[in-house]
Structures are given as structure tokens and as C-alpha cells.
């Protein structure tokens, strides 16, 4: 896959095949799940990273490729080095610029909602649906979910909701997420213990969020700290909503 092979290199190799490294010359080669690479192959990759040289399988010519390498993993590579399943020299050769991407559960609720809106727009276009939006209960579930499957889980959750929804408004039932502890899925907003907010159709998400925030503020008798905790946002974010 990486280095390609020559014709006749093995049974069934009836033609020369160019590998991913050669195809990426002058560009970027993305190596996903680098922590899953077997030890037997790590040394071969290390040689290429050090010298930018390689041979096709079954070939004798040494080739050179000017390629930028980007590698990703969700594994703890330092722990793998300790238990002998990942080479330390390969790790330090790869770790030139280290970028740590936070998981969804490490991000703010605003980030999660923004990403959900992005996927909603994307899949609404793919399935030729009209402009769609989440109701307030659905937004609460999206923000409160732990997302053990990270971004892929969120994407598939939104796609499923778009497919299952019969209208433009996506509710909690279409999401298929576990309810927030203490909040039943069924029943009216009064049953859920939350405020009832009537929203016109033409409101933006930010305007709808502002109206809901004011209703929760009224429920907490003007206590902004309690309101921010109930909404799962910071006081600065709440102030911006209330001032919008």
C-alpha cells in the first residue's frame, strides 16, 4: 500500500502498482491510526521517514519521495513504547509538531451545537430536505451527551435524525440519544420541568437560544450563576445571549 510493487513481485502481481508514497510526491501523506501499525512494519516506515528513500516490493531501484507526513492516532503512544508495542525511534521521528485535538466531551457545549448544526446543514442538502433545525430539547440532549464515539458518533446521530424526521424541526426522538439524567423524554415541557418558550419560525439559532436563556433566567428568579449552570454554559456566554 505505501511503497507499491513491481510486476511479478508475488503471485497475482501482474503489473506494476504505484504506492501511496509515490502518489503523494510533492504533497502530503496522511497516515491514520499510526498506533495500529505492527512492529514488523514500523522499521520500514522509520527508514523512509529518515531518508525519504524506499523500494517497491520486488524492486531493486531505490526511489526518493519528497513527501510531508501527517500521522494521527487515538492511542497513547508513550504507553505503547513502555510496553514494547511501538518503537521509540519512530515515535520521536514522527513527533516534530505535536497537535492534540480535544474530544467532543472536552469541548464546550457551544462547540458541540455548532458542529451539530454543520452536520445538519450538510445532510439536509444531501437528502434534499428543506432548511432544518433542532428544537430546544434536542439541543439540550446534544450538549449533555458524553459522545464516546466522538465526532463520528455526532455526525451519524445527526444524519439519522435528518433521515427519520418528517418535518423541518428535529426533536429528541429523532436523535435517539439517552435523556439527560432527571429529564424524561416523553411529556410536555411542563412535565420536563423546563420553561415553555414559543418561538417564531424565522428566528436564528442565536435568537432562539437568547429567548430560551431569558426564560431559564426567569425560572431562576434572575440568578445568572444558577441560570448558567442550568444551561451548561459560562456566565460570559450567558451575558452575550441575554444582551443579544
Amino acid at each position: 500500500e505505501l511503497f507499491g510493487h513491481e510486476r511479478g513481485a508475488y503471485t497475482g502481481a501482474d503489473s506494476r502498482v504505484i504506492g501511496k508514497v509515490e502518489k503523494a510526491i510533492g504533497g502530503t501523506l496522511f497516515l491514520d491510526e499510526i498506533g495500529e501499525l505492527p512492529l514488523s512494519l514500523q522499521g520500514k516506515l522509520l527508514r523512509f521517514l529518515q531518508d525519504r528513500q524506499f523500494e517497491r516490493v520486488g524492486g531493486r531501484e531505490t526511489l526518493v519521495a519528497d513527501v510531508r507526513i501527517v500521522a494521527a492516532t487515538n492511542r497513547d503512544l508513550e504507553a505503547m513504547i513502555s510496553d514494547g508495542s511501538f518503537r521509540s525511534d519512530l515515535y520521536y521521528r514522527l513527533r516534530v509538531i505535536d497537535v492534540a485535538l480535544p474530544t467532543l466531551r472536552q469541548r464546550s457545549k457551544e462547540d458541540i451545537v455548532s458542529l451539530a448544526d454543520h452536520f445538519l446543514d450538510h445532510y439536509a442538502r444531501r437528502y434534499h430536505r428543506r432548511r432544518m433545525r433542532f428544537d430546544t430539547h434536542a439541543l439540550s440532549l446534544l450538549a449533555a451527551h458524553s459522545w464516546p464515539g466522538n465526532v463520528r458518533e455526532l455526525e451519524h446521530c445527526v444524519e439519522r435524525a435528518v433521515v427519520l424526521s418528517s418535518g423541518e424541526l428535529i426533536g429528541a426522538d429523532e436523535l435517539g440519544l439517552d435523556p439527560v439524567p432527571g429529564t424524561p423524554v416523553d411529556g410536555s415541557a411542563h412535565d420536563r420541568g423546563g420553561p415553555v418558550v414559543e418561538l417564531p419560525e424565522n428566528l436564528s439559532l442565536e435568537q432562539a437560544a437568547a429567548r430560551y436563556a431569558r426564560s431559564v433566567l426567569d425560572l431562576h428568579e434572575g440568578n445568572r450563576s444558577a441560570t448558567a449552570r442550568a444551561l451548561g454554559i459560562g456566565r460570559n456566554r450567558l451575558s452575550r445571549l441575554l444582551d443579544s
Side-chain angles (χ1 to χ4, degrees), residues 84-95:
S85 57
F86 200 85
R87 294 180 58 137
S88 60
D89 47 4
L90 176 58
Y91 172 73
Y92 291 113
R93 188 64 187 86
L94 283 169
R95 192 180 178 183

Side-chain angles (χ1 to χ4, degrees), residues 14-242:
D14 53 3
S15 63
R16 171 187 286 177
V17 172
I18 301 300
K20 299 296 191 296
V21 166
E22 280 186 84
K23 290 181 178 180
I25 288 177
T28 301
L29 180 65
F30 177 52
L31 303 176
D32 199 7
E33 303 294 353
I34 193 68
E36 307 298 330
L37 191 67
L39 270 172
S40 59
L41 299 180
Q42 291 177 22
K44 301 178 186 299
L45 179 60
L46 176 64
R47 182 204 170 194
F48 170 68
L49 292 177
Q50 289 174 335
D51 305 325
R52 291 299 193 267
Q53 295 181 349
F54 68 98
E55 290 90 31
R56 300 189 193 101
V57 176
R60 296 182 179 180
E61 180 184 5
T62 299
L63 305 172
V64 177
D66 180 12
V67 175
R68 178 192 295 110
I69 301 294
V70 177
T73 184
N74 63 356
R75 302 283 296 274
D76 185 345
L77 295 185
E78 293 184 349
M80 294 178 67
I81 291 172
S82 298
D83 65 26
S85 57
F86 200 85
R87 294 180 58 137
S88 60
D89 47 4
L90 176 58
Y91 172 73
Y92 291 113
R93 188 64 187 86
L94 283 169
R95 192 180 178 183
V96 178
I97 299 176
D98 190 13
V99 180
L101 297 179
T103 63
L104 277 185
R105 58 183 172 271
Q106 294 172 312
R107 292 185 176 274
S108 69
K109 298 182 186 303
E110 291 90 343
D111 285 347
I112 295 173
V113 170
S114 295
L115 192 55
D117 281 332
H118 163 74
F119 288 134
L120 182 60
D121 289 341
H122 173 76
Y123 285 108
R125 289 194 301 269
R126 170 177 289 188
Y127 293 107
H128 307 291
R129 304 292 300 274
R130 294 182 178 181
R131 172 69 178 175
M132 306 182 75
R133 59 189 178 89
F134 300 105
D135 69 16
T136 53
H137 190 202
L139 288 174
S140 297
L141 287 180
L142 287 169
H145 190 63
S146 61
W147 301 111
N150 211 17
V151 177
R152 288 187 181 91
E153 182 188 2
L154 173 61
E155 180 179 4
H156 295 160
C157 172
V158 174
E159 182 180 11
R160 179 177 61 248
V162 170
V163 172
L164 294 179
S165 177
S166 58
E168 298 179 13
L169 189 65
I170 291 179
D173 291 340
E174 286 87 5
L175 291 177
L177 296 175
D178 294 332
V180 180
T183 304
V185 173
D186 298 325
S188 67
H190 285 296
D191 297 331
R192 293 193 297 265
V196 177
V197 185
E198 296 294 337
L199 299 175
E201 291 291 333
N202 60 348
L203 286 184
S204 68
L205 176 62
E206 194 72 13
Q207 291 170 327
R211 291 201 181 194
Y212 186 71
R214 293 188 190 101
S215 297
V216 177
L217 182 67
D218 291 340
L219 190 67
H220 288 87
E221 301 178 343
N223 187 322
R224 293 201 173 198
S225 295
T227 301
R229 286 195 297 270
L231 292 172
I233 61 177
R235 285 196 52 151
N236 290 338
R237 167 66 173 158
L238 175 63
S239 296
R240 289 195 297 270
L241 281 175
L242 297 175

